Structures are given as C-alpha cells and as structure tokens.
Amino acid sequence: MILSKFVDELPILPVLKPRWKDSCHTYYEVNMTEFKQSLHSELNDTTVWGYEGSYPGPTIEVESGEKVFIKWINNLPAKHLLPVDYTVHGAHLDVPEVRTVVHVHGASVEPESDGYPEAWFTKGFEQVGPYFTKKVYRYDNYMRACTLWYHDHALGITRLNVYAGLAGYFLVRDQQERLLNLPCGQYEIPLIIQDKSFNEDGSLYYPRQPDKPVPELETSVIPEFIGDTILVNGKVWPYLKVEPRKYRFRLLNASNTRFYRIKLDSGQLIYQIGTDGGLMEYPIGVKEIMLAPSERADVIIDFTNLEGKNIIMTNDAPAPFPSGVAPNPNTVGTLMQFRVTLPLSSIDTSVIPSYMGPLPKLREQSASKIRYLTLDDITDQYGREFMLLDGKRWDAPITENPKLGSTEIWHLINLTTDTHPIHVHLIDFQILDRRAFDVERFKKERVIHYTGPSIPPEPFERGLKDTVRANPNQVTRIIMNFDSYTGLYVWHCHILEHEDYEMMRPFVVIR
Ligand SMILES: [Cu+2]
C-alpha cells in the first residue's frame, strides 16, 4: 500500500494555552492520552498517543527567563500500543508496562525536572520510578531564544512512546530575536519530521522482531527502525499553500532512527539562521541540511517571485546512516510540497538579517578536563548486536562527573559502523572538529592514531548544539561548560533503539 502524496494539507500545530499566568509564573497541565487521528485521507484513522489530544503535541511557547511550571499527566491505558521487549534495561516484568516521563530536549533545567529516565510515573501517579521526586516540573528557561522539543524519555520504552506520538515543540523566544524582524506569525511554521509504517487497517506498525528474529523471545528490540512513509506534523506527505514571500520554518527530526538530508527540488537555497541552541552569528545559504534524530535547524525559505510553482522538500540520506540504502525518491525520498498559490496578503517586510548577534566561543585552553569516550557495539546472550557508551552499561557506576562551572572536552571515539547522534542533557556544546583514526589499531592498543587532518564542523553546525553526529572511523570532539545546575542528568545516543538498549549513561554535575 503506497499512499498518494500531497493530498492532505500540512497541519499547523496548535499553541498550548496555560491554565493560569501572572507576572511571575506560568502554569500548564498537559495530559497524555490515547486517541484516533487521521494521518492520511486514504488511511483509516490511526490510534496514536499524544499530548492534550494532539499528535504531535501542541507547541509550548515561552519567553526567555519565564518561570514555567508544567504538570505532565499520564492518562494512557495500562497496556502499551506497541510491542514491548521485557529484556531491555528498565522494561523488565517487575515494572508497569506503560510508564512516562517528559524531557524538554535542549533545555537547561534543574535535575528534578529534566525527565530522568527512571523518574517515570504511571496513570494518576499510582506507581513511580525510583528517581521520581515531583509531579510538577519547573522550567526557569534561562536559555536564549531557541528551538527545543519535548518528548517521552522513560527507560527501556522511549522508542515506543515517541513512535506512538509523544513529541512536540517547545520554543523559547526573546527580545533580541524579535528585533531581527524575521518572518513571524502565520509565516513562521514549526515542522516535525518522522517516519512511520502502517498496517493495512491504518494502525501503526512497529516490528515485533528484528530481521533476524530471536526465537526465544516473543518480542525483541530491533537494532534500528526504518519506516516506509514520511509524516510532517503528523500527516503523511502533506502540502502547504504559501504566499510568494519569506517564511521561517523550524525543522526537527523526531524520527527514531532515520536521518534526513533535506533539499528543495527547485534547487534554491535554504537560509539557515539557527541550530539546536538558537540563532547563529550569520545566516548561511545552503543547498542541503543534514538532520540526525533530535537535531533541529531554524531556516528561512524565500518563495518571492515563485508564484504558481510547486516545490518539493526532498531527502536523500541513506538509512541506516551512513551505510544503508538511498531512499526511494517516490516514497521516503520525499517529505512535503510547498505550493506557491496564495496571493501576497501584504508587503513582505521581514528580512534575512546579515548578522544576528555574537556567540560566545569556548576556547580549548579553558578546558580543565579532557574525556575519551568510546562508542562500541557488542553482542548479547541472544546474539543481538547492541551499543554501549565508554564500554559501560546504563547501570554501571557514574564515571562522567563534571564540576559546576568547569569546561570539558569530550572525544567521542566511534568504533561502530553507524553514525550516532550523541545528545548531552543540560548544556549546549560546540563542535570542535572531527578526525579520522585507525579503528582496528585502537581496538588492539587503546591508543588513537589519527589518519587524517582535523575537519572543522560543517557551516550549518557552527552554532550551539546539544546533539552531534559522531561518524564511524572518526573521533568527534565537543567542548562545553557546565555552568548552570548541579545534579543527575544523562547523555545518550538519540537513535531511540540504541538509547533504549544500553546506549545511555548517567552523568552528575558536582559542586
Ligand atoms: Cu546510536
């Protein structure tokens, strides 16, 4: 069954209204529920999970410095919508099957409100995980304007909870950004890109077994999930009618495993203005944008003088990345279509600024700690390949313990054949470089022998980042300052099938 492209209009995600708001605080309540939603007009309605009855969840918009409190409420059924593997960490039979905990990805937040994977809770908070401390999360939003997102992070079932629909945008705004006169209002549209597969009856398909099944298990985690259909804002291959003018789009890859290399089939430039952590110093005009799972790009597309044109946003990233097959242009090689068919409703006075503001640059000399951290693959008792960080499982004692206020450089030494999007909670980092090294020699001698020059980050990565692509056969270096909170956080691969099966580690910021 191949669904027709460009038959449904792109949904514009609703903005969440607070329960109450005064000059000091804002309070939201967000319910997680199961419901049916139309994901394509040729498909029966699909049972999904969402926030406040919406998949993807409504956009939460806050001002920099605004004190926001959110009560995340689990009203989901006791039985999971998707097949649970009870052998992976945190998902054993001694815990309830449906657990949730919400993480605002990219936020600097106190540890009790960061959504620690073992701080989960069930419907009505009847049962809670060992690290659960409170029902109402607090977000101080000290960050500058940036493009964040919220999603579920429960240990051992994050891949299933997010795939079922638990993800949405969390935008931070500030005055500096407003003064730039970027396209705004109806001309600023957040886009959430995900891949999914469907059963004939319209229900979500998620494999119960990997390609090489594990006969001992009824359900087994899979090494990666690659869907055969692309959804933007919860619709399969939608179209958007636009005016001949500039638009600002936030792009988010909220897929489990799939990477996207995004282009416009008109060949026109995309003007990137921001990375994960907010605006860059200068906009850059690019022909393509690479997004690994959880990465964001803030872009301007100019449809001026393109009246009557149809422009398709395409993807040519292999899946799995980088060694997999190129996407079929008729299916997963297509994301959505822009139709420049609306009349210009007013003169476009928005701008692509020439300069957006200074970015603090962390100097290598300021680092007080250098860490060397491997990305490894090993095999479990069922013959399944799985991934580790620094050779350690989730439950091993904490080894990353940066001091409050200190600067660290982490070497991510990838010994596997996949690119892993490595996400560090709490802080934004900067990418220093990537450099080829001899993997086989490293495995024998545990010493890095570089085989190529240091490669600077791509132009579209030269801003604040919270997720970095660590490529095979390379050492990727990131630099960061732990200047905000002390306490317990996590860092992990954002391929959700990896994260759920041991490719995640706690870290603690100490005083
Ligand atoms: Cu990974």
Side-chain angles (χ1 to χ4, degrees):
M1 163 192 52
I2 293 187
L3 299 167
S4 305
K5 290 195 281 294
F6 319 137
V7 294
D8 293 294
E9 199 157 7
L10 176 87
I12 303 298
L13 301 171
V15 175
L16 188 66
K17 289 198 176 58
R19 289 294 165 113
W20 53 262
K21 181 172 180 149
D22 61 27
S23 55
C24 317
H25 308 99
T26 309
Y27 176 71
Y28 293 94
E29 283 184 1
V30 183
N31 270 279
M32 296 170 238
T33 54
E34 178 175 293
F35 50 90
K36 280 184 178 283
Q37 187 171 312
S38 172
L39 307 189
H40 190 278
S41 52
E42 292 163 7
L43 207 57
N44 292 336
D45 286 2
T46 305
T47 302
V48 292
W49 289 1
Y51 298 100
E52 289 295 289
S54 170
Y55 156 70
T59 301
I60 297 173
E61 291 196 13
V62 307
E63 187 70 13
S64 176
E66 183 178 354
K67 303 258 177 290
V68 172
F69 294 83
I70 305 181
K71 187 176 188 183
W72 303 99
I73 302 164
N74 177 337
N75 267 318
L76 293 165
K79 180 92 187 109
H80 211 292
L81 184 61
L82 299 164
V84 174
D85 177 351
Y86 304 105
T87 69
V88 299
H89 68 197
H92 303 315
L93 289 163
D94 58 350
V95 294
E97 184 167 302
V98 173
R99 291 159 281 119
T100 56
V101 63
V102 186
H103 169 59
V104 177
H105 182 121
S108 175
V109 55
E110 58 168 13
E112 300 82 5
S113 299
D114 192 50
Y116 195 73
E118 290 181 283
W120 50 260
F121 51 92
T122 62
K123 187 173 183 173
F125 299 100
E126 273 170 20
Q127 285 178 280
V128 297
Y131 287 80
F132 177 90
T133 55
K134 57 178 174 183
K135 293 180 181 175
V136 179
Y137 275 14
R138 173 191 176 118
Y139 303 91
D140 286 328
N141 298 308
Y142 292 131
M143 302 79 68
R144 55 210 278 274
C146 52
T147 306
L148 309 183
W149 63 298
Y150 62 97
H151 64 79
D152 200 75
H153 215 306
L155 192 67
I157 53 169
T158 294
R159 70 192 184 291
L160 306 174
N161 289 358
V162 173
Y163 188 75
L166 295 178
Y169 264 109
F170 189 106
L171 303 180
V172 181
R173 301 191 180 276
D174 68 16
Q175 193 55 22
Q176 190 197 342
E177 181 194 68
R178 270 190 284 271
L179 291 173
L180 292 173
N181 193 22
L182 301 168
C184 64
Q186 60 180 304
Y187 308 112
E188 181 196 357
I189 301 176
L191 303 176
I192 296 190
I193 305 163
Q194 296 178 306
D195 63 337
K196 298 198 183 294
S197 296
F198 295 95
N199 298 308
E200 288 288 333
D201 65 359
S203 58
L204 286 176
Y205 171 74
Y206 188 92
R208 191 167 277 283
Q209 287 278 356
D211 290 343
K212 190 174 135 236
V214 183
E216 299 97 310
L217 300 175
E218 197 198 327
T219 299
S220 166
V221 67
I222 55 177
E224 66 260 329
F225 171 80
I226 304 293
D228 59 14
T229 306
I230 306 292
L231 294 86
V232 184
N233 291 357
K235 278 282 186 203
V236 176
W237 293 308
Y239 68 87
L240 174 69
K241 289 191 225 159
V242 295
E243 298 179 22
R245 53 162 293 143
K246 292 184 281 300
Y247 281 73
R248 179 184 185 186
F249 296 100
R250 320 278 184 137
L251 305 176
L252 158 65
N253 179 356
S255 304
N256 284 33
T257 297
R258 185 181 286 281
F259 289 52
Y260 299 91
R261 192 160 51 212
I262 295 170
K263 293 180 194 173
L264 299 172
D265 75 341
S266 54
Q268 72 192 88
L269 291 178
I270 300 171
Y271 297 93
Q272 185 174 357
I273 56 173
T275 53
D276 301 340
L279 295 172
M280 303 187 295
E281 279 188 297
Y282 306 94
I284 49 167
V286 291
K287 288 270 181 179
E288 60 182 43
I289 288 180
M290 186 78 216
L291 288 180
S294 88
E295 283 189 301
R296 287 88 70 205
D298 192 347
V299 305
I300 294 174
I301 299 179
D302 192 352
F303 300 108
T304 304
N305 297 325
L306 295 174
E307 287 90 341
K309 295 269 187 308
N310 291 336
I311 298 161
I312 298 173
M313 188 181 261
T314 63
N315 158 48
D316 68 354
F321 193 82
S323 57
V325 292
N328 179 343
N330 291 319
T331 59
V332 290
T334 296
L335 302 184
M336 64 175 288
Q337 183 194 49
F338 300 101
R339 295 180 185 166
V340 193
T341 53
L342 296 177
L344 190 61
S345 58
S346 59
I347 296 168
D348 180 9
T349 55
S350 67
V351 296
I352 301 172
S354 54
Y355 177 72
M356 292 175 293
L359 267 189
K361 196 158 168 59
L362 292 173
R363 292 181 315 119
E364 283 188 47
Q365 298 85 327
S366 66
S368 56
K369 181 83 184 175
I370 315 284
R371 295 184 195 272
Y372 296 87
L373 301 158
T374 54
L375 317 183
D376 325 85
D377 55 359
I378 61 168
T379 306
D380 73 5
Q381 68 204 89
Y382 301 104
R384 301 181 292 190
E385 187 187 50
F386 69 110
M387 310 283 172
L388 296 177
L389 295 171
D390 196 30
K392 297 182 179 71
R393 286 174 174 263
W394 166 251
D395 279 341
I398 293 175
T399 40
E400 286 72 66
N401 54 357
K403 277 203 181 71
L404 181 66
S406 70
T407 298
E408 298 204 351
I409 294 173
W410 291 13
H411 294 66
L412 304 170
I413 306 164
N414 191 346
L415 306 177
T416 78
T417 55
D418 295 325
T419 293
H420 300 276
I422 300 297
H423 171 46
V424 186
H425 284 212
L426 178 66
I427 50 88
D428 280 325
F429 53 72
Q430 290 165 28
I431 303 171
L432 288 173
D433 58 7
R434 297 184 176 92
R435 198 166 174 188
F437 74 112
D438 187 332
V439 173
E440 291 315 310
R441 223 168 135 186
F442 183 91
K443 285 182 179 168
K444 283 191 212 99
E445 302 169 16
R446 307 304 286 182
V447 178
I448 300 172
H449 293 278
Y450 289 110
T451 56
S454 152
I455 303 165
E458 308 270 3
F460 54 80
E461 297 177 312
R462 290 179 197 168
L464 298 180
K465 295 282 294 166
D466 54 49
T467 305
V468 61
R469 284 174 286 111
N471 298 318
N473 307 310
Q474 285 182 342
V475 175
T476 301
R477 294 195 310 150
I478 56 175
I479 185 167
M480 56 215 142
N481 188 292
F482 293 88
D483 58 358
S484 51
Y485 296 94
T486 57
L488 190 59
Y489 297 91
V490 299
W491 67 286
H492 59 88
C493 176
H494 221 287
I495 291 177
L496 302 182
E497 283 69 25
H498 294 178
E499 166 181 353
D500 267 350
Y501 194 18
E502 299 292 350
M503 205 174 193
M504 177 160 68
R505 291 281 295 152
F507 75 89
V508 63
V509 182
I510 59 174
R511 206 164 275 286

